[in-house]
Amino acid sequence: MTLHTEVVRRLRDGMADGVLSFPLTAFHTDGSLDPDGFRTHVAAQIATAPGAVFPACGTGEFFSLDEDEYRRVVSVTVEEAAGRVPVVAGTGYGWAQAARFARIAEEAGADALLVLPHYLVAAPQDGLVAQLEQLAARTGLPLIAYQRGQVAFTADALRRIAGIPNVIGLKDGHSDLDRLQRLTLAALEDFLFFNGAATAEIQARAYATVGVPAYSSAVHAFAPEIANAFFTALHGDDHGTVEKLLRDFYVPFVELRDRVPGYAVSLVKAAARLRGRPVGPVRAPLTDPSPADLADLKTLLATGLDLVGAAL
């Protein structure tokens, strides 16, 4: 069994059993990295048995980390995971910089990489494929492409990237189910697909209908009780619980999230702080929630936890 085949097997098994965890990167109040706070947070995340853990990705503010901080974050995650769950580290920017982060992740012991959308420019399909080819040639780690923002693959491009030996899957953040269905039909049987929509639970049922049941959960970063209850209800066809959690928690959370750009991360971090998690503030260009929004978040969080029999 090759390394890539083993990683695919572990990821497939893991995402059948639980949500994908995207931990928050902890900072001190002065904005410096807090490795001890992060260790506490990621250990608590792993203890709830997610399908895999994805450090230093979008929720983990990859875009604001330097290379030394990135190394600490990935290393701590690998140490805390201790082989119990796969560790998929984020990487990104252009392929040259992504390769630098990839080397660090490989040295730190990560199992795979999530390739975040490249920086700034729009690009044709040939360029999107070449970006992954260049990165794949510079790392031994399996790669999961992430289509979001300016990155959106056609079925032909998907077949081409799936032919790159290192590339094992695709995370989708566009929520275009017509396009996604075409991609799943174009892929090889062992190619992995992930629902990476913002607050992915909102669209989890729709994604599953096109063959993409696995999803990332930002809510898991602050309320694994809610995230796991939703996952259990969804996979157990408990439609009443799914709809109650959607109606009374997830939809209001999305409405709160949509008030301010960047709240997809800022609210998650603020909710974790409300629960006593030592994750600290967000880094610029993100901003922490206003007092009024924080009050609404606290009320909503208490409601969501009460729905699953947990306390703030």
Side-chain angles (χ1 to χ4, degrees), residues 104-127:
I104 294 170
E106 191 165 3
E107 291 166 359
D111 296 295
L113 295 164
L114 177 65
V115 185
L116 303 173
H118 64 270
Y119 172 68
L120 190 60
V121 296
Q125 294 295 306
D126 285 348

Side-chain angles (χ1 to χ4, degrees), residues 31-288:
S32 61
L33 182 70
D34 179 4
D36 293 334
F38 178 72
R39 185 180 294 278
T40 298
H41 170 62
V42 78
Q45 289 281 286
I46 292 168
T48 64
V53 61
F54 289 67
C57 294
T59 306
E61 298 178 77
F62 167 79
F63 49 84
S64 73
L65 299 176
D66 67 29
E67 292 180 13
D68 289 338
E69 292 169 332
Y70 176 86
R71 185 185 299 276
R72 294 291 299 277
V73 166
V74 177
S75 295
V76 166
T77 306
V78 170
E79 290 165 9
E80 292 301 322
R84 290 175 291 169
V85 294
V87 175
V88 184
T91 189
Y93 306 114
W95 62 259
Q97 186 64 38
R100 292 173 63 92
F101 283 101
R103 280 195 297 274
I104 294 170
E106 191 165 3
E107 291 166 359
D111 296 295
L113 295 164
L114 177 65
V115 185
L116 303 173
H118 64 270
Y119 172 68
L120 190 60
V121 296
Q125 294 295 306
D126 285 348
L128 298 180
V129 174
Q131 163 90 341
L132 286 169
E133 290 174 334
Q134 292 286 350
L135 178 55
R138 290 164 172 80
T139 180
L141 291 178
L143 306 177
I144 298 168
Y146 189 5
Q147 64 168 17
R148 189 171 188 150
Q150 70 270 36
V151 177
F153 294 103
T154 62
D156 178 65
L158 189 281
R159 281 188 285 266
R160 291 167 64 191
I161 68 170
I164 302 170
N166 297 47
V167 179
I168 63 171
L170 177 74
K171 182 182 180 186
D172 174 72
H174 284 295
S175 303
D176 180 341
L177 297 184
D178 179 286
R179 174 189 289 267
L180 187 58
Q181 182 70 90
R182 295 165 191 254
L183 297 182
T184 61
L185 293 173
L188 298 173
E189 185 177 352
D190 63 347
F191 199 75
L192 301 174
F193 285 91
F194 308 85
N195 167 3
T199 317
E201 286 91 342
I202 289 286
Q203 299 185 65
R205 289 189 293 189
Y207 268 81
T209 65
V210 295
V212 184
Y215 61 90
S216 56
S217 175
V219 169
H220 188 272
F222 64 86
E225 304 97 326
I226 298 173
N228 289 338
F230 183 90
F231 181 90
T232 299
L234 181 67
H235 285 257
D237 294 324
D238 181 354
H239 302 296
T241 297
V242 166
E243 291 177 7
K244 185 167 185 59
L245 285 169
L246 288 173
R247 184 182 304 109
D248 295 343
F249 175 76
Y250 282 100
V251 169
F253 181 77
V254 168
E255 291 172 348
L256 181 56
R257 182 200 73 197
D258 288 347
R259 289 182 188 176
V260 177
Y263 265 18
V265 176
S266 300
L267 280 182
V268 172
K269 215 164 195 184
R273 291 196 303 273
L274 286 172
R275 304 202 70 196
R277 311 296 191 256
V279 296
V282 293
R283 272 183 174 173
L286 301 179
T287 59
D288 288 313

